[in-house]
Amino acid sequence: MNTICINNINEKDYSENINYNNKEYPVYIKKTFLSQYPNYSCISHWHEDLEFIFVLSGHMNYNINGTIVDITEQNGILVNSKQFHYGYSCDFTECEFICILFQPLLLCTNEYFENTYVNTIIKNIEQPYFIFYQTIIWQKQILDILKDIYMYSEKDFDILEIQQSIFMLWKILYKNFPKQKNNIVKQNRQIASIKKMITFIKNHYKEKISLDMIANSGNICKSNCSALFHKYVCQTPISYLTKYRLNQSIDLLFHTDMSITEISYEVGFNSTSYYSEMFKKYYHCSPREYLKIHSIEKI
């Protein structure tokens, strides 16, 4: 049932690796519903891959580096490379959407092409994201191509058609994408700290973790730690840790034969009763009820 495409941590920059549809071809394509994610929210993350979302029905809230935007029906968004982001529904309403990620290296035929046509977009610090609207001709063309890419993924995963469509999309994007005006790259220390702290949580969630430990991993004090989590993740550090543990437990519920007690300790809870209490608080049902409900939906 787990629809999250994240695999593991890239130790070089704390980014996420992606579970691609074909491990030999770095593209991830999926059509899904926001309700398939626990509590109608994806886990906040970042990766080198470019991420395109096309909302088929409903709407989706998107948090990019602390900026929240609303993606409405039949519109979409590009989240640029290495941006801190996650999609969710603030009102817990359904949203059907297509999610497409691909590695920029698919476009890099040589160094000149990479520097001229690729880096000018993915390294544009003034455009961490870009929203596409059906009402604007060139943006509608990109949205139509996203639908085509999904269609080709359903037809025996036709890589040649997908690759051609990616280049068509990039041609349109390059010709219309806002050019960066300021060439001075300034490192966002807050983003760097929040990434380090979230990476620490993901690497150590099975262990006993305190607020002090989370703050220390980001080289900041506890008050600043809480402030950054509120700004970029809209929750407390401990709440993020709890939700991450619960999310990991759902994967174990669906893909292992472990008991509820075994799962609770495996993901870092110090008792089965507390695990069940937190699960019900966030998902409004017990782990067994959740498993039963979503197994039926999957069928």
Side-chain angles (χ1 to χ4, degrees):
M1 207 289 295
N2 187 11
T3 59
I4 296 174
C5 60
I6 302 306
N7 185 11
N8 48 41
I9 302 296
N10 184 326
E11 295 180 357
K12 292 182 179 180
D13 61 359
Y14 314 109
S15 63
E16 321 285 5
N17 293 323
I18 308 299
N19 284 326
Y20 300 116
N21 300 69
N22 181 332
K23 64 180 181 179
E24 304 298 333
Y25 182 64
V27 172
Y28 174 88
I29 305 169
K30 188 176 183 66
K31 182 171 74 171
T32 188
F33 293 89
L34 203 51
S35 62
Q36 292 295 303
Y37 292 82
N39 227 27
Y40 289 81
S41 178
C42 181
I43 294 293
S44 50
H45 60 284
W46 62 98
H47 40 67
E48 185 178 6
D49 303 65
L50 295 149
E51 180 168 328
F52 292 84
I53 298 292
F54 178 34
V55 173
L56 298 171
S57 62
H59 76 103
M60 181 189 300
N61 305 108
Y62 231 87
N63 186 318
I64 311 98
N65 298 336
T67 298
I68 299 174
V69 296
D70 189 35
I71 314 303
T72 52
E73 187 168 315
Q74 294 299 305
N75 296 317
I77 188 171
L78 159 64
V79 180
N80 216 334
S81 179
K82 298 183 180 180
Q83 305 304 312
F84 187 70
H85 64 280
Y86 65 99
Y88 67 100
S89 171
C90 63
D91 54 6
F92 301 98
T93 55
E94 189 60 281
C95 172
E96 184 181 18
F97 63 99
I98 294 171
C99 178
I100 298 174
L101 292 85
F102 63 82
Q103 268 281 342
L105 65 85
L106 284 180
L107 301 161
C108 301
T109 55
N110 58 41
E111 187 175 353
Y112 171 78
F113 194 94
E114 179 180 0
N115 290 331
T116 305
Y117 298 104
V118 180
N119 288 342
T120 49
I121 291 180
I122 69 172
K123 294 186 178 182
N124 186 336
I125 61 173
E126 297 171 356
Q127 297 291 153
Y129 68 92
F130 194 91
I131 299 177
F132 302 113
Y133 295 100
Q134 285 281 347
T135 53
I136 299 176
I137 294 175
W138 72 268
Q139 295 177 17
K140 182 181 185 303
Q141 291 174 334
I142 286 181
L143 293 170
D144 289 341
I145 291 174
L146 293 176
K147 287 190 290 186
D148 289 342
I149 291 174
Y150 171 72
M151 180 186 69
Y152 296 134
S153 73
E154 290 290 284
K155 293 182 177 180
D156 300 322
F157 206 81
D158 192 329
I159 290 178
L160 287 176
E161 291 288 359
I162 291 171
Q163 184 70 28
Q164 177 176 278
S165 296
I166 288 174
F167 270 107
M168 289 174 59
L169 180 154
W170 201 258
K171 177 182 177 182
I172 297 170
L173 189 63
Y174 176 79
K175 288 184 174 182
N176 294 278
F177 202 73
K179 299 298 185 285
Q180 183 171 310
K181 298 177 182 178
N182 185 0
N183 293 322
I184 299 175
V185 178
K186 296 181 180 179
Q187 182 181 15
N188 188 321
R189 293 183 179 179
Q190 291 186 345
I191 293 290
S193 290
I194 193 74
K195 286 182 176 181
K196 288 180 180 179
M197 291 187 289
I198 285 180
T199 297
F200 174 79
I201 288 173
K202 292 181 178 180
N203 284 339
H204 299 277
Y205 71 92
K206 296 182 181 182
E207 308 163 18
K208 185 176 180 180
I209 297 179
S210 67
L211 180 58
D212 276 325
M213 295 168 69
I214 296 172
N216 288 338
S217 70
N219 299 315
I220 57 176
C221 65
K222 289 192 293 184
S223 60
N224 283 341
C225 169
S226 297
L228 289 187
F229 268 84
H230 177 73
K231 178 178 180 179
Y232 291 104
V233 192
C234 301
Q235 56 191 299
T236 68
I238 300 304
S239 176
Y240 182 91
L241 169 62
T242 299
K243 289 184 178 181
Y244 187 77
R245 284 171 168 166
L246 291 171
N247 186 75
Q248 297 303 107
S249 78
I250 288 174
D251 192 45
L252 296 177
L253 278 170
F254 281 92
H255 299 104
T256 73
D257 294 325
M258 296 172 67
S259 67
I260 300 297
T261 298
E262 290 172 328
I263 289 174
S264 65
Y265 286 105
E266 176 65 20
V267 298
F269 289 96
N270 56 16
S271 73
T272 305
S273 60
Y274 184 64
Y275 165 64
S276 298
E277 178 186 342
M278 290 297 100
F279 198 102
K280 192 165 187 177
K281 175 182 177 181
Y282 287 107
Y283 304 140
H284 311 295
C285 63
S286 70
R288 287 191 177 86
E289 289 170 339
Y290 188 93
L291 178 62
K292 183 177 179 181
I293 291 168
H294 289 278
S295 292
I296 292 173
E297 287 181 355
K298 186 176 180 180
I299 294 172

